Amino acid sequence: TQHTACGGPRLDAADSQRSERHRKSLARQGGCCRRAFACCVCNRTLALDIASTIDRVSDALAARSRGATRSQFFFSGFIFATWGVHVPTVKAHYGIDEAQLGLAMLAGGFGALAGLSQAGRLIGRYGARSISALCGCFYALLLAGLLSMPDYASLLMLLAGFGLVTSVFDVAINTEAAQIELRSGKPLMSGMHGMFSLGGMAGSHRR
């Protein structure tokens, strides 16, 4: 640095270059900070969009799960009521008396007890969803076979299987409902059982 005649400092060429480099460096740092801030804003916006999408998908899946489980309760009540109103039809079809009919009903009860004793193990191993789907199919098929057995002994075996499948299906759909209720944090079980009652009313009016 040199001094003028008045005693003031005068910048030489080297000082000017250093000052210019310092200014450019500050400008670059400012540009980097702006770009970093813009990236942070974009990333935060993207993260919020992804979270919102995940929430919407989760809500849609939860709604589908609730609807499917309500349908299972409805058809459980429907099938059970259909069997109930057709007990006289079964009695007449096979030509059995009250004692034989009582024994047939008892076979269904024994099947239900056997199913309840194994339902927890089966659901724990294969999951409530798989067990309810499988039992729902067999439930409907066994009902369809009530009037198709060749003799009384076959009817007893069918009713034992019917009772077994009924109890396992009932435990499985209630397990599903309890899991959905726990995830949603809302009381849903009474509504599920209401669908069972609606299905029972619908099934009892079919002849």
Side-chain angles (χ1 to χ4, degrees):
T1 303
Q2 299 177 353
H3 292 271
T4 63
C6 296
R10 186 179 63 186
L11 297 178
D12 58 13
D15 289 335
S16 297
Q17 291 177 356
R18 283 194 297 268
S19 178
E20 182 65 19
R21 284 196 300 269
H22 182 65
R23 186 185 64 79
K24 291 181 179 180
S25 176
L26 291 176
R28 285 195 299 270
Q29 290 175 3
C32 291
C33 289
R34 287 192 295 272
R35 286 193 296 271
F37 179 75
C39 288
C40 289
V41 172
C42 291
N43 289 337
R44 180 175 176 80
T45 303
L46 179 61
L48 291 174
D49 289 342
I50 293 174
S52 178
T53 302
I54 292 173
D55 288 340
R56 287 196 298 270
V57 172
S58 298
D59 291 342
L61 290 176
R64 289 178 59 186
S65 297
R66 289 193 298 270
T69 305
R70 289 191 180 103
S71 298
Q72 288 176 320
F73 273 89
F74 179 87
F75 285 109
S76 176
F78 183 89
I79 292 173
F80 190 78
T82 301
W83 152 240
V85 299
H86 283 89
V87 169
T89 306
V90 171
K91 180 177 180 292
H93 180 78
Y94 292 98
I96 57 179
D97 57 24
E98 283 74 10
Q100 291 172 313
L101 179 62
L103 182 60
M105 302 290 283
L106 187 61
F110 280 128
L113 287 175
L116 287 173
S117 67
Q118 299 298 317
R121 184 178 64 84
L122 292 172
I123 293 170
R125 182 172 182 178
Y126 299 106
R129 180 179 178 181
S130 299
I131 294 298
S132 63
L134 182 64
C135 288
C137 294
F138 278 107
Y139 200 12
L141 289 174
L142 289 171
L143 178 69
L146 279 174
L147 300 179
S148 303
M149 293 296 101
D151 51 37
Y152 177 67
S154 300
L155 176 65
L156 292 178
M157 290 187 289
L158 182 140
L159 284 174
F162 186 78
L164 187 150
V165 170
T166 299
S167 61
V168 176
F169 183 62
D170 186 60
V171 174
I173 62 177
N174 275 278
T175 302
E176 282 188 301
Q179 291 172 346
I180 293 171
E181 185 178 58
L182 182 63
R183 287 196 297 267
S184 67
K186 300 176 182 178
L188 301 173
M189 190 65 75
S190 59
M192 300 292 181
H193 290 147
M195 293 300 294
F196 178 90
S197 299
L198 287 175
M201 288 190 292
S204 64
H205 283 82
R206 287 186 61 85
R207 293 290 186 270

